Amino acid sequence: GRPGPLMAAADEIKVRVVGEGGHGSQPFRAKDPIPVACEIVVALQTLVTRQFDVFDPVVITVGKFVGGTKDNIIPDDAVFEATLRSLSEQARAEMARKIEQLATGLAQAHGLRAEIEYLPGYPVTVNDEAEYAFAKDTIVDVFGPDRYVHQRNPEMGAEDFAFVGQEVPSAYGTQVNDVLLT
């Protein structure tokens, strides 16, 4: 375990780039959403590394990308879905705002439209310092000091226990040296 942020907030982002379909032999007569959606995906990676503090990290992973039905048909739209992980409410809110700004702006620059759906998920799991100290001392007292290892860095996984921490001071831990702190 560790005091402070332990596990990341996890949110879902769905982006639909809306263009105008056409035939692959005449792309100039269509508004192709696929290269624009690809450009947005790449730009999101740059956004994370260039506009967010490395010591308050943000991770975005595009896990689903769908567009088109056949190799020679330009589709009307392309859709991708991503997970956003963050360790502070400030970075979480800022990333939500910047994703919309980036996707909308890039789509508009190409004469297309982007529809963004931001679905908040689990909040950041934060260990209260006093509750963490109590849990740590209990593990050391019961199992001995060699059975406890301090978790140096937070994890980018998410945990629904974070909702408990929003209501009452609490501490959550992960399994270390065969001792499970919950």
Side-chain angles (χ1 to χ4, degrees):
R2 68 186 307 277
L6 178 73
M7 298 181 82
D11 301 320
E12 183 180 354
I13 300 116
K14 296 180 180 182
V15 177
R16 177 175 175 242
V17 178
V18 181
E20 188 177 319
H23 196 272
S25 65
Q26 298 180 334
F28 59 93
R29 296 189 188 278
K31 293 182 179 179
D32 193 344
I34 290 181
V36 176
C38 290
E39 190 174 330
I40 293 169
V41 168
V42 172
L44 287 172
Q45 301 305 316
T46 303
L47 173 71
V48 164
T49 62
R50 295 298 180 260
Q51 295 190 33
F52 286 86
D53 186 343
V54 68
F55 297 106
D56 185 9
V58 173
V59 173
I60 189 164
T61 301
V62 175
K64 181 177 180 182
F65 192 106
V66 179
T69 57
K70 191 161 172 35
D71 66 334
N72 66 343
I73 300 171
I74 295 170
D76 288 324
D77 65 2
V79 176
F80 67 86
E81 296 179 13
T83 182
L84 169 65
R85 307 300 173 112
S86 54
L87 290 174
S88 73
E89 288 302 319
Q90 297 83 4
R92 185 182 192 192
E94 185 71 6
M95 190 63 179
R97 186 183 68 74
K98 287 187 175 191
I99 288 171
E100 182 153 359
Q101 181 183 39
L102 183 141
T104 301
L106 280 174
Q108 286 176 347
H110 292 281
L112 282 69
R113 186 176 87 248
E115 300 170 356
I116 299 93
E117 187 177 3
Y118 186 87
L119 304 164
Y122 297 138
V124 180
T125 303
V126 179
N127 278 345
D128 178 80
E129 296 217 14
E131 296 300 323
Y132 165 78
F134 173 76
K136 176 186 171 190
D137 292 345
T138 302
I139 289 172
V140 170
D141 288 347
V142 173
F143 298 105
D146 59 324
R147 298 294 298 274
Y148 173 80
V149 175
H150 175 73
Q151 183 177 331
R152 188 170 158 222
N153 299 310
E155 299 176 22
M156 295 312 276
E159 175 56 51
D160 60 0
F161 185 82
F163 291 112
V164 174
Q166 290 185 326
E167 300 298 321
V168 296
S170 58
Y172 182 85
T174 56
Q175 187 168 342
V176 290
N177 288 356
D178 301 323
V179 174
L180 182 62
L181 169 62
T182 57

